[in-house]
Amino acid sequence: MFGWEFPPHITGGLGTACYGLTKGLSKHKAEVIFVVPKLFGDEDKTYVELTDAEKVTIFQTRKSFDEFWKNITYLQIDSTLLPYLDPQIFEKYIQQSFKISQEHIKEEAFETHFTFSGKYGADLITEVTRYAIVAGTIAKDHEFDIIHAHDWLTYPAGIAAKQASGKPLVVHVHATEFDRSGEHVNQTVFDIEQKGMQEADRVITVSHLTKQIVIERYGIDPSKVFTVHNAVEPVELEEFNITKHFDEKIVTFLGRITFQKGPEYFIEAAKKVLQKDKNVRFVMAGTGDMLHRSIERVAKLRMGDRFHFAGFLKPEMVNKLFSISDVYVMPSVSEPFGISPLEAMRSQVPVIISKQSGVSEILNHAIKIDFWDIDAMADSIHALLHYDGISKMFKTYGKTEIDHLKWENAAYNVIQVYNSLL
Amino acid sequence: MKSICFYFQVHQPFRLKKYSFFDIGGDHDYFDDYSNRTILKKVAQKCYLPTNALLLDLIKQYGKDFKVSFSLSGVFIDQIEQYAPEVLDSFIALAETGQVEFLSETYAHSLSALKSKPEFEHQVSEHRKKIEQHFKQKPTVFRNTELIYSNRIGEMVHNMGYKGMITEGAKHILGWKSPNYLYANVINPKLKLLLKNYTLSDDIAFRFSNSAWDQWPLTVDKYTDWLNSALQSDNEVINLFMDYETFGEHQWADSGIFEFMRALPEQVLKHTDFKFLTPNQVVKHYDVVSPLDVPYEISWADEERDLTAWLGNDLQYDAFDKLYELEDKLKELGDEKLLKDWLYLQTSDHFYYMCTKWFSDGDVHKYFNPYQTPYAAYINFMNVLSDFITRINK
């Protein structure tokens, strides 16, 4: 399994989902070799064998990646030094030979030209490419039946592993470029995504919404696309015995403060709620390229004493925030799945989610609105704050609903997809 | 008569500590005692103590021929009382020479003149008491925060009994007129206005150590020549107004700023006709040449010389308006602790940190700013203010 991050080093839902899935797979006695670009050493290894892509590169390149090795020799680097290289020096070689390796990859895996500009730096693409090279090595050195790649960053690695081993490839679509960037897609990323889905034997999407995008926008054969909804890890509520020091109720937004997450609709709805009821505090936790604009908007609406920015929160602080929240809102413009409402419901917080989210396909005890409908959002927030009937129902049944959304069940569905290939 | 009038501004805010959303309701200590104490002690060593000693030497040497004036913010005096009583003693020693004048200002170095007349008057009167208590002087000249001035503010100041007020010789107000005369308030001409000569002031305050400046290094000879050539007639005064931290803090000791100041009086007294006067003496000795119409507020900050460093964007308006909305309720409650926190929250620096016009004067703004971004400053201030509001409503 190729991933890009693993707890505790996560930047978003991807790492959390990978962790949950591998944990679920282990319950079904599936063995997982999980490959990530860089290991910090404190990842949870209970359920998976984690492989550090960098280590593999350094120690195993010579004996198992002959094609690539020729290129280095070609660059007239003293070969006697090579078995003892340290990572920094190896990185230099990699950079010197990047042009060659890039073409190497280009011929084998992609017809895309690697000319990059825009928001993804050249370094990230370099990393993606290096990761793919290493993937080929790992594929030759390990025994396995299925290759499973999570999101576009690892698709080239999945393809390389497939070419090296001949084993079937499953790509797992947690998000697409259309979710991240709206209609302003980065063509290079789109091309990598499309190539990955085309080369894959099966495509798993996290929602029907994403499945539709994969079929319609990427032109993928519907017969090989399967939806497996995400799940959530159960936690004990007693873990968070936090008391709040003020009387006002709290309405929370949590996520990257970017176009995709719809922070501006939350701000506008907050203003509408505050016009009716001053005894509410809004909290926006997270960071992103729309943070400064959001702060300015809050100041412009003169509600800085009721609308608080909490910054990026670590997991324990997220749980702390949920434990004092009265309503959780996820107004995403486009959300392939959206695990955070499940985390909120797990803490018995009633949630409002946008209809444009994958998670809305599976939740019953949640208010679903269009992300742009700030009147409906404000109305729902107000209702959940003031009408005990609905908020109590959501708290009780929402928790029960979440308890049934187990990773074990999601993993079972993934195994069904695997079995169709074996 | 030709004269030079030195006025030095001395101020340090009570900076806020890092205060997160999670602290609201549970933590009512807002100020960063450690960094406030550390900064004050550092600046005391680099600037206040050595410069006060230097000025005391000069006064001993030249007697009545050398004079300066100060405006010490109330929050600064509170801090030296707590953290550095030796600094307070050195200012008292200067006051006792009789050659040093202390001006009036708002206690909290606040922008209250723009928002609330009662609060403004209250702070000026509290500050006045503090000055009388320590320095045994009754100020007659007023200095508003950041030299902020308008016709309306001048009228308020006159009605409080002041004879003079100092402000910026802003180009857009003066036009062709010279800052080197005494002017008067338009509404009530009894209030006389001393205008800062910003070119000659900033030569010392901003440019002194700038080796990229074509006049660097600035010698006493050269500067005295400039003083001489700046005047058109005998009826003029050059007002040299600057932050006191110019000496040793903004311009480091190794730039030669102390030697410059030590040598300046001798050069001026021996080779020119200039006398040193304090603002009160300028007001007494000079005639007003004309009223000066300032319909919109001016200040001494940045290229614009306006309010936009403190009140120029929505972050600042929101924080400022929310803070002053509390006035009536606070005064009704009359709780000492709440009133003191409110006073310290009014210090203009808190709003200055939220300034988003980084580009032309960004370096100066960043130098004094404990926050990474104006957004962080706003969030921190609003979190504190939210807690403060919960206390008022209890």
Side-chain angles (χ1 to χ4, degrees), chain B residues 347-366:
Chain B
T347 300
S348 65
D349 303 63
H350 301 306
F351 305 97
Y352 189 76
Y353 303 145
M354 301 174 198
C355 178
T356 44
K357 46 167 201 170
W358 297 107
F359 308 106
S360 58
D361 302 286
D363 291 344
V364 184
H365 287 251
K366 273 181 196 161

Side-chain angles (χ1 to χ4, degrees), chain B residues 71-91:
Chain B
S71 188
L72 275 55
S73 72
V75 287
F76 172 77
I77 299 174
D78 283 356
Q79 292 194 58
I80 52 176
E81 284 173 359
Q82 285 175 46
Y83 303 136
E86 68 279 16
V87 174
L88 180 58
D89 291 342
S90 70
F91 277 111

Side-chain angles (χ1 to χ4, degrees), chain B residues 318-342:
Chain B
D318 187 30
F320 189 68
D321 291 348
K322 288 275 153 49
L323 184 67
Y324 281 95
E325 271 171 18
L326 308 172
E327 181 178 355
D328 291 346
K329 191 142 190 196
L330 275 165
K331 294 201 165 155
E332 199 184 301
L333 287 171
D335 181 282
E336 288 293 321
K337 181 79 179 77
L338 287 174
L339 284 167
K340 192 171 178 193
D341 283 348
W342 188 58

Side-chain angles (χ1 to χ4, degrees), chain A residues 246-248 278-281 305-306, chain B residues 28 30 322 325-330 332-333 335 338 385-394:
Chain A
F246 46 82
D247 303 330
E248 296 85 5
K278 281 294 273 175
N279 294 316
V280 189
R281 290 185 190 278
D305 60 329
R306 291 285 168 200
Chain B
H28 308 317
Y30 306 142
K322 288 275 153 49
E325 271 171 18
L326 308 172
E327 181 178 355
D328 291 346
K329 191 142 190 196
L330 275 165
E332 199 184 301
L333 287 171
D335 181 282
L338 287 174
L385 190 58
S386 300
D387 180 79
F388 186 69
I389 294 169
T390 63
R391 287 164 63 198
I392 296 174
N393 293 336
K394 255 181 195 152

Side-chain angles (χ1 to χ4, degrees), chain A residues 245-246 248 250 281 283 292 295-296 298-300 302-306 308-310 313 317 320-321 324, chain B residues 21-26 314-315 317-318 321-322 356 373 375 378-379 382-383 385-386 389-390 393-394:
Chain A
H245 301 290
F246 46 82
E248 296 85 5
I250 299 182
R281 290 185 190 278
V283 181
H292 290 174
I295 295 170
E296 278 169 8
V298 165
K300 178 106 186 160
R302 301 291 187 271
M303 54 180 186
D305 60 329
R306 291 285 168 200
H308 308 281
F309 291 88
L313 298 182
M317 292 306 281
K320 187 176 168 181
L321 179 58
I324 56 171
Chain B
F21 159 73
F22 292 100
D23 299 324
I24 297 171
D314 283 315
L315 309 178
Y317 297 140
D318 187 30
D321 291 348
K322 288 275 153 49
T356 44
T373 67
Y375 303 102
Y378 169 77
I379 291 170
M382 293 311 286
N383 285 342
L385 190 58
S386 300
I389 294 169
T390 63
N393 293 336
K394 255 181 195 152

